[in-house]
Amino acid sequence: MARLRGVPPTIFAEMSALAVATGAVNLGQGFPDVDGPASVLDRAAAAMREGANQYAPGTGVPALREAIARHQQRCYGLSWDPASEVVVTTGATEAIAAAILGLVEPGDEVVLLEPYYDSYLAMIQMAGGVRRPVTLRAPDFRLDVAELRAAVGPRTRVVLLNSPHNPTGAVLTRAELDAVAQVAVEHDLIVVTDEVYEHLTFGGTVHTPIATLPGMRERTLTISSLGKSYSLTGWKVGWASGPAHLVGALLDAKQWLTYTSGAPLQVAAAYALDDEPSWPNALAASLEERRDLLCEGLRAIGLPTPTPQGTYFATSDISALGWADGNAFCRALPERAGVVAIPVQGFYDPSRPVSDNPGRQLVRWAFCKRPEVLVDALERLGHADLRAD
Ligand code: PMP
Ligand code: GLN
């Protein structure tokens, strides 16, 4: 398929299938092994029994759009009109897809942080856009503002941000966001920002939505999802908020993708945002302990692992164990140790030769698992021979 030429199949499906096939502990695909709040599950069941089972409005059920608007106001002081400036999507994935399909014309350039979440690549290419990656480099994965400026040209239309950032766990600082905002205003760019890990930051690290910066409200489309904040990744309830012209562009595409997203889950998502507002903070506190458990354990077995400031992912440099290629390491790991991780090289531009891939020696581990599962994985890793042949 020409539109998907060069886009590799999603690594998450392959690695989760490998974990199931080998009985390995799955620290690959990022999904929690404890479900979100029982009260929210009950609300979904009740919504089904109460008859919220037919198509929701294409923009989302009003109660959820209102709850999202209240969330943005309460957490960040952003005011959005729930009728015209908020839209519910089938996960953040659909919001990203529809935003790109609705905003990027063939030949338009999209500047994005590399490494990047794999669906960005597929969607930019399906829209006929041209990607302009700006690389965050290990070990601290900071934004190089000069590189950002160099990536922007006359055909640039969109900056696609992700903070807190998957897979590096970096959280853009206020200074970095200021630099992005300055470039966006100077070049009249739209910013699409994927903030699905907005509540999952650690050690006092503050997540600032770029929409709150001067000059950004009118040019920013902010995307988030219930999945990460409430440990309900399988529900695929996401949303976007921003000025009506950007939400409208997203809707132009969304109406032809899914038209509308799951109705009873939206009722329960509204309940989660309104009635369980502190649940994501408690999740972040517990994730911070699990982050430390995993990162310290990985370092103890000889894998340099910087401490992430957000998300539920940590990345290790496997060159310390003599490996040159994360793909080879991750494919050998289930058999050697009974653990699955994700090679980070697939989050870098596929046009790069492997030798020029800054992520080729990085692997990603998800720590959104119960502590005993992390301990089990660390014990397995500790007992295995992990050195390259
Ligand atoms: N963006 C990023 C950065 C992610 O890590 C994920 C996780 N799957 C998504 C988007 C997709 O979110 P959702 O499951 O809500 O579609
Ligand atoms: N966001 C999760 C991750 O990065 C899940 C991705 C997926 O399954 N597409 O692991």
Side-chain angles (χ1 to χ4, degrees), residues 10 12 28-30 117 166 197 228 313 364:
T10 177
F12 303 111
Q29 192 179 24
Y117 186 58
N166 179 8
Y197 300 101
K228 311 295 163 173
F313 304 114
R364 193 197 78 175

Side-chain angles (χ1 to χ4, degrees), residues 39-56 60-61 63-65 67-68 88-91 225-227 230 232-239 260-273:
S39 63
V40 178
L41 307 185
D42 290 344
R43 190 68 198 90
M48 284 183 203
R49 283 193 301 268
E50 287 159 11
N53 298 307
Q54 308 308 327
Y55 293 129
V61 302
L64 178 53
R65 280 185 275 125
I68 293 162
V88 178
T89 57
T90 303
S225 162
L226 193 75
Y230 285 89
L232 295 166
T233 61
W235 283 22
K236 298 297 288 185
V237 177
W239 53 81
T260 173
S261 306
L265 301 183
Q266 293 189 46
V267 174
Y271 174 87
L273 293 178

Side-chain angles (χ1 to χ4, degrees), residues 12 28-32 71 76 92 117 120 162-171 193-202 205-208 223-230 233 280-281 283-284 287 309-313 347 364 366-368:
F12 303 111
Q29 192 179 24
F31 60 90
H71 173 273
Y76 309 120
Y117 186 58
Y120 302 175
N162 169 218
S163 180
H165 183 258
N166 179 8
T168 67
V171 179
T193 174
D194 175 347
E195 302 185 359
V196 294
Y197 300 101
E198 60 185 322
H199 294 299
L200 306 185
T201 61
F202 313 122
T205 301
V206 175
H207 162 68
T208 305
I223 292 170
S224 194
S225 162
L226 193 75
K228 311 295 163 173
S229 300
Y230 285 89
T233 61
N281 301 332
L283 173 63
L287 279 171
Q309 304 164 296
T311 76
Y312 36 57
F313 304 114
F347 291 66
R364 193 197 78 175
F367 54 82
C368 48

Side-chain angles (χ1 to χ4, degrees), residues 76-92:
Y76 309 120
L78 285 163
S79 302
W80 299 114
D81 169 18
S84 61
E85 297 180 318
V86 177
V87 56
V88 178
T89 57
T90 303

Side-chain angles (χ1 to χ4, degrees), residues 138 302-306 315-321 323 361-363 365:
L303 282 167
T305 308
T315 54
S316 301
D317 186 336
I318 52 164
S319 59
L321 296 175
W323 292 84
Q361 290 169 327
L362 297 178
V363 302
W365 318 86

Side-chain angles (χ1 to χ4, degrees), residues 279-363:
W279 202 89
N281 301 332
L283 173 63
S286 114
L287 279 171
E288 185 163 349
E289 289 175 14
R290 291 180 268 163
R291 171 197 70 169
D292 293 341
L293 172 68
L294 181 72
C295 291
E296 282 159 24
L298 289 170
R299 285 183 211 122
I301 56 172
L303 282 167
T305 308
T307 303
Q309 304 164 296
T311 76
Y312 36 57
F313 304 114
T315 54
S316 301
D317 186 336
I318 52 164
S319 59
L321 296 175
W323 292 84
D325 178 3
N327 269 331
F329 178 85
C330 289
R331 290 203 163 78
L333 202 58
E335 199 174 311
R336 285 205 187 194
V339 177
V340 160
I342 296 282
V344 173
Q345 61 187 253
F347 291 66
Y348 288 78
D349 212 86
S351 63
R352 288 170 174 280
V354 177
S355 58
D356 178 41
N357 188 317
R360 72 188 180 285
Q361 290 169 327
L362 297 178
V363 302

